[in-house]
C-alpha cells in the first residue's frame, strides 16, 4: 500500500510503552498516520491535515492498544 511521503514522526508513551507514529502526506494532500504493532498488525487513520490526523490517531491509539490486550487475554 502506498502511503505517500513521510512528513512527521514521533513516539507516544502510552501505559509505559513507546509507540511510533509516522505521518505521511498523500499526493492528493490528505494525510495518513500509521503505527505498526507487529508485521501485519497496523493501525492507520486519515485526515485532511497533519494536526487533524495526529489528534485523531492520539485519541484512537489507546483504544487500539486496549483491543489488542483484550484479544490476548481471550486466547
Amino acid at each position: 500500500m502506498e502511503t505517500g511521503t513521510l512528513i512527521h514522526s514521533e513516539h507516544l508513551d502510552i501505559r509505559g510503552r513507546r509507540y511510533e507514529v509516522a505521518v505521511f502526506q498523500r499526493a492528493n494532500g490528505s494525510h495518513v498516520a500509521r503505527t505498526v504493532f507487529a508485521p501485519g498488525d497496523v493501525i492507520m487513520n486519515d485526515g485532511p491535515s497533519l494536526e487533524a490526523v495526529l489528534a485523531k490517531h492520539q485519541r484512537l491509539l489507546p483504544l487500539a492498544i486496549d483491543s489488542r490486550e483484550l484479544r490476548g487475554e481471550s486466547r
Side-chain angles (χ1 to χ4, degrees), residues 3 7 12 23 33 40 44 48 50 54-55 67-68 73:
T3 52
I7 61 165
L12 297 178
V23 180
M44 297 177 78
L50 172 64
L54 274 176
S67 71
R68 282 153 180 82
E73 292 171 6

Side-chain angles (χ1 to χ4, degrees), residues 4-70:
T5 303
L6 179 66
I7 61 165
H8 179 79
S9 179
E10 67 180 66
H11 287 87
L12 297 178
D13 292 319
I14 300 174
R15 295 185 205 102
R17 293 192 61 191
R18 289 176 58 98
Y19 297 91
E20 182 182 15
V21 178
V23 180
F24 301 85
Q25 185 171 16
R26 293 179 173 157
N28 68 2
S30 67
H31 293 74
V32 177
R34 178 183 73 190
T35 295
V36 178
F37 294 106
D41 187 7
V42 179
I43 179 175
M44 297 177 78
N45 291 292
D46 63 343
S49 67
L50 172 64
E51 295 79 12
V53 78
L54 274 176
K56 183 177 182 181
H57 202 74
Q58 289 171 349
R59 188 176 70 250
L60 295 175
L61 186 56
L63 297 173
I65 294 166
D66 287 346
S67 71
R68 282 153 180 82
E69 289 174 0
L70 288 173

